[in-house]
């Protein structure tokens, strides 16, 4: 009978030790989960901020593009009035360059935005 009681006490002690280890491990995991959640929230906040900045930059870019188109249109009209029938030429320090294209511009200058991202 003493052997059985000693064995039960040993098992109880082992279970208590294992329970304490599990509690410590649980607290560690809870701390890691809290850190992960805080990091995730910071990343989400930064993403919202960057998306807002991107939208503002896109709006400003579109505004600049429309201004450029308007100014180019005005420049062409003035050149047509001043020099009717003459091809438009742009002067630069190094020499003479022709305007690189005629017709409509279908894409704006700069990087393109991926349709999904």
């Amino acid at each position: 009978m003493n052997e059985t009681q000693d064995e039960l006490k040993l098992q109880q002690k082992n279970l208590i030790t294992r329970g304490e280890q599990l509690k410590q491990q649980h607290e560690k995991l809870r701390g890691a989960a809290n850190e992960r959640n805080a990091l995730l929230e910071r990343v989400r906040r930064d993403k919202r901020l960057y998306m807002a900045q991107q939208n503002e930059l896109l709006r400003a870019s579109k505004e600049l593009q429309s201004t450029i188109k308007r100014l180019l249109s005005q420049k062409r009209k003035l050149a047509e009035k001043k020099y009717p029938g003459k091809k438009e030429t742009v002067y630069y320090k190094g020499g003479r360059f022709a305007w690189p294209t005629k017709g409509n511009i279908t894409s704006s200058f700069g990087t393109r935005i991926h349709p999904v991202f």
Side-chain angles (χ1 to χ4, degrees):
M1 184 102 158
N2 278 342
E3 289 178 20
T4 306
Q5 287 178 346
D6 289 340
E7 191 176 317
L8 285 174
K9 285 181 183 180
L10 182 62
Q11 285 180 357
Q12 184 180 16
K13 186 177 178 182
N14 286 340
L15 287 174
I16 290 172
T17 304
R18 183 66 180 142
E20 290 172 0
Q21 289 172 347
L22 287 174
K23 282 181 185 178
Q24 290 173 353
Q25 190 176 19
H26 181 70
E27 289 301 318
K28 239 188 209 182
L29 290 174
R30 184 180 294 162
N34 288 339
E35 284 180 35
R36 182 190 65 87
N37 289 337
L39 179 62
L40 184 60
E41 180 57 35
R42 189 172 71 226
V43 167
R44 286 180 178 156
R45 185 180 64 241
D46 289 348
K47 180 182 176 185
R48 284 190 301 269
L49 175 66
Y50 293 143
M51 293 300 286
Q53 289 174 344
Q54 180 185 15
N55 289 337
E56 176 62 25
L57 288 173
L58 285 173
R59 186 198 60 73
S61 175
K62 286 179 182 179
E63 187 177 315
L64 285 173
Q65 287 173 6
S66 67
T67 302
I68 289 170
K69 285 179 183 179
R70 181 179 49 82
L71 290 173
L72 284 174
S73 175
Q74 288 175 357
K75 180 181 176 186
R76 286 186 185 124
K77 287 177 185 175
L78 288 174
E80 187 64 35
K81 284 181 184 178
K82 193 171 184 180
Y83 306 106
K86 186 176 179 183
K87 252 178 125 174
E88 184 177 355
T89 304
V90 177
Y91 293 95
Y92 185 69
K93 290 180 186 177
R96 236 175 120 158
F97 295 104
W99 195 251
T101 185
K102 284 196 178 227
N104 293 333
I105 297 175
T106 59
S107 294
S108 62
F109 177 79
T111 57
R112 292 179 179 247
I113 304 300
H114 192 279
V116 175
F117 299 106

